[in-house]
Amino acid sequence: MTSPVSGFSKKNKQEKIQWLVENYLQNDPIAKQTLERYWNSDTALQRLHDDFVENTLSNYYLPFGIAPNFLINGKFYAIPMVIEESSVVAAASNAAKFWSDRGGFKAEVINTEKNGQIHINYFGKPEDLEQFFLLVKPKLITGIAALQKNMKQRGGGLLEIQLENSTEKLAGYYQLHCTFETKDAMGANFINSCLESMAEIFESEVEQYEPFQVSQQFPEVVLSILSNYVPNCRVRAEVSCKLKQLDGKKVDGKDFAKRFVRAVDIAGVERKRAVTHNKGIMNGIDAVVLATGNDFRAVEAGIHAYAAKDGAYRSLTHASIEGDTFRFWMEIPLALGTIGGLTSLHPLVKLALRILENPNARELMQIVAVAGLAQNFAAIRSLVTTGIQKGHMKMHLMNILNQLEATSEEKEQAVEHFNERAVSHNAVVTFVTQLRS
Ligand code: MEV
């Protein structure tokens, strides 16, 4: 059994790899080589990546793809996407092309308010805490003046602080609910710094407040942190067209629209379907969020919580037929940044933002929401017509061929062979085996 290691973070990269290979990889030289193969020969670039997190051993590549032809509010975008799933970029590109011929996507930022809380324990009289809060509130605000200076210059900052009595949820639980505008920054560091500073001021003022001395009941800060639930930082994306414009070679537009709306309605009432439906939306959202160096875990957590906001987990998208018009739309919370974080550090993130013509956070919210809506459109379109496996497995063909270490010639022949045939792992193995014999 491997014994615990101390001072691991102090070891240099070679030593860390050596330790790992000795302790977990049976001294396998190939394992060591695999880690080293992904090092970048540009040492400055490698150092930059090494410093993103602790104990970096190597780099982990994901494809950086592009989905062109996204017409959003009358402007064409080529959207960078970072994702491993083979059919996502192709699906986004198809949906983009489809809607660019039908007026494109409309997107609109509804609001941009972020929030965070100072969570408090207090078992005394609520009136004492309320009075104390009124007294201390101005001190909390002036106490973060220096922290807020730059953000205020950019038009952002703390918006409001409210004391919320949450004792119905949990005995003795109060919170200072603080709202913020963080402009083009995602704002996590700014918000957390403000909250921690205010929490310190709050605690130091508590000690001097007489009614608490008298009752011997002192409020106590449990923790202070931003919330990734941002229902007031919301964006809407939509498409619409005449039913006739949905006619396809083998598809009647009206019939297609009815099936489509039904599929979305099912995800609106059935959690088992809603989760997968929304996962398809996140395929598009996460890919752009990652490409632009944003925090996809924060985005995921916030969006899924929003999908369950009325107590049941539901589809994020909605669709309707009104007269002869098909409508498809979505509203989601999105806290994104185009400055700060990785945005000015990671060369590919910088490039992704440049491809998007250096959007501000509001524009990026619109682009990301559209990518999610497009992805959902593509998935539902396939699901209610051909099914997804045909397209999915076509895109997966190259992965199977790579697993089989197919040569370029074998790949070419396989692509031609499977052009009109169903792709399955077995079928590809059989085909390649036959070629080789
Ligand atoms: C696969 O990654 C995503 C889908 O399952 C989404 C959906 O079912 O709507 C195709």
Side-chain angles (χ1 to χ4, degrees):
M1 206 174 77
T2 313
S3 49
V5 57
S6 57
F8 186 72
S9 66
K10 305 277 179 323
K11 291 184 191 292
N12 67 32
K13 200 199 277 187
Q14 290 287 6
E15 290 167 342
K16 285 174 188 163
I17 292 180
Q18 196 54 40
W19 178 88
L20 187 72
V21 170
E22 274 169 20
N23 286 280
Y24 285 92
L25 298 162
Q26 297 80 44
N27 277 314
D28 176 4
I30 304 290
K32 187 162 178 266
Q33 271 171 31
T34 303
L35 288 168
E36 291 174 354
R37 255 178 89 196
Y38 284 89
W39 287 354
N40 202 295
S41 55
D42 176 341
T43 48
L45 186 68
Q46 187 54 59
R47 219 171 304 122
L48 180 78
H49 283 263
D50 287 350
D51 288 344
F52 286 155
V53 297
E54 191 163 277
N55 298 339
T56 310
L57 301 182
S58 190
N59 307 308
Y60 186 102
Y61 292 174
L62 282 176
F64 179 105
I66 194 91
N69 298 322
F70 267 96
L71 182 59
I72 306 174
N73 295 340
K75 179 174 162 185
F76 272 106
Y77 291 87
I79 300 189
M81 301 181 93
V82 169
I83 188 142
E84 88 301 343
E85 191 173 325
S86 36
S87 53
V88 169
V89 180
S93 307
N94 284 342
K97 186 81 192 53
F98 183 92
W99 283 106
S100 71
D101 295 337
R102 291 162 180 81
F105 295 83
K106 308 270 178 297
E108 179 196 2
V109 171
I110 297 164
N111 39 26
T112 57
E113 187 187 282
K114 318 273 171 57
N115 67 91
Q117 291 73 31
I118 299 173
H119 300 276
I120 293 166
N121 266 351
Y122 176 65
F123 294 91
K125 282 194 275 175
E127 312 84 77
D128 286 355
L129 184 59
E130 280 154 23
Q131 284 306 316
F132 170 72
F133 172 66
L134 290 180
L135 212 76
V136 82
K137 184 175 168 181
K139 293 186 185 172
L140 300 182
I141 297 168
T142 48
I144 57 165
L147 275 176
Q148 289 213 77
K149 194 166 166 251
N150 286 345
M151 187 58 88
K152 279 210 151 171
Q153 272 165 7
R154 299 210 308 268
L158 174 73
L159 299 175
E160 178 57 303
I161 316 175
Q162 281 164 340
L163 172 68
E164 288 186 8
N165 181 335
S166 303
T167 51
E168 281 196 359
K169 294 179 191 163
L170 184 68
Y173 171 38
Y174 292 79
Q175 48 180 298
L176 297 189
H177 173 76
C178 308
T179 50
F180 299 86
E181 168 59 57
T182 60
K183 298 309 252 188
D184 290 329
M186 189 264 193
N189 279 332
F190 170 71
I191 293 175
N192 289 334
S193 299
C194 289
L195 292 173
E196 288 190 2
S197 250
M198 289 193 290
E200 250 178 57
I201 299 166
F202 182 92
E203 287 206 300
S204 69
E205 293 289 327
V206 158
E207 287 161 22
Q208 294 149 35
Y209 191 60
E210 216 192 298
F212 296 149
Q213 308 264 4
V214 173
S215 67
Q216 283 297 295
Q217 294 288 345
F218 296 94
E220 172 196 34
V221 172
V222 182
L223 63 102
S224 312
I225 190 79
L226 93 162
S227 170
N228 290 125
Y229 186 55
V230 284
N232 293 329
C233 184
R234 222 160 65 240
V235 57
R236 179 185 166 94
E238 64 176 273
V239 283
S240 63
C241 70
K242 298 286 172 216
L243 295 175
K244 275 234 118 331
Q245 291 178 284
L246 295 172
D247 284 346
K249 267 188 217 143
K250 295 182 202 153
V251 190
D252 170 68
K254 190 171 176 188
D255 186 46
F256 166 75
K258 277 189 185 163
R259 290 171 71 83
F260 192 102
V261 170
R262 190 73 180 156
V264 176
D265 286 349
I266 289 170
V269 296
E270 173 51 72
R271 179 173 43 204
K272 296 195 284 283
R273 173 61 199 141
V275 171
T276 319
H277 178 99
N278 290 348
K279 185 272 183 187
I281 296 170
M282 299 315 292
N283 278 344
I285 290 179
D286 281 345
V288 191
V289 169
L290 258 177
T292 56
N294 273 280
D295 182 343
F296 63 92
R297 287 86 55 211
V299 166
E300 282 272 353
I303 290 182
H304 290 299
Y306 186 76
K309 66 181 181 313
D310 59 7
Y313 187 92
R314 299 184 191 286
S315 161
L316 292 158
T317 51
H318 308 275
S320 70
I321 299 170
E322 291 157 34
D324 63 350
T325 303
F326 167 75
R327 286 188 197 288
F328 180 46
W329 72 96
M330 170 172 80
E331 258 184 47
I332 48 165
L334 268 179
L336 299 177
T338 53
I339 59 169
L342 274 195
T343 56
S344 52
L345 269 182
H346 195 304
L348 276 174
V349 167
K350 277 201 248 178
L351 193 76
L353 289 168
R354 228 178 108 193
I355 293 169
L356 294 172
E357 300 182 29
N358 293 318
N360 59 29
R362 296 173 73 96
E363 285 160 344
L364 187 59
M365 284 167 78
Q366 297 177 5
I367 294 165
V368 169
V370 163
L373 189 75
Q375 207 67 45
N376 190 225
F377 177 79
I380 305 296
R381 182 155 85 126
S382 295
L383 286 167
V384 301
T385 54
T386 55
I388 59 150
Q389 276 314 88
K390 198 165 156 232
H392 191 75
M393 290 309 285
K394 275 253 135 71
M395 295 304 303
H396 196 53
L397 173 60
M398 217 30 89
N399 289 342
I400 304 174
L401 289 168
N402 282 333
Q403 262 173 28
L404 300 174
E405 295 179 358
T407 62
S408 318
E409 231 170 76
E410 287 170 340
K411 282 180 186 170
E412 236 172 72
Q413 293 185 44
V415 169
E416 200 181 311
H417 176 82
F418 285 103
N419 197 21
E420 291 298 326
R421 293 177 176 85
V423 178
S424 71
H425 192 87
N426 254 351
V428 179
V429 172
T430 310
F431 178 76
V432 172
T433 313
Q434 270 167 10
L435 272 187
R436 287 176 180 170
S437 63

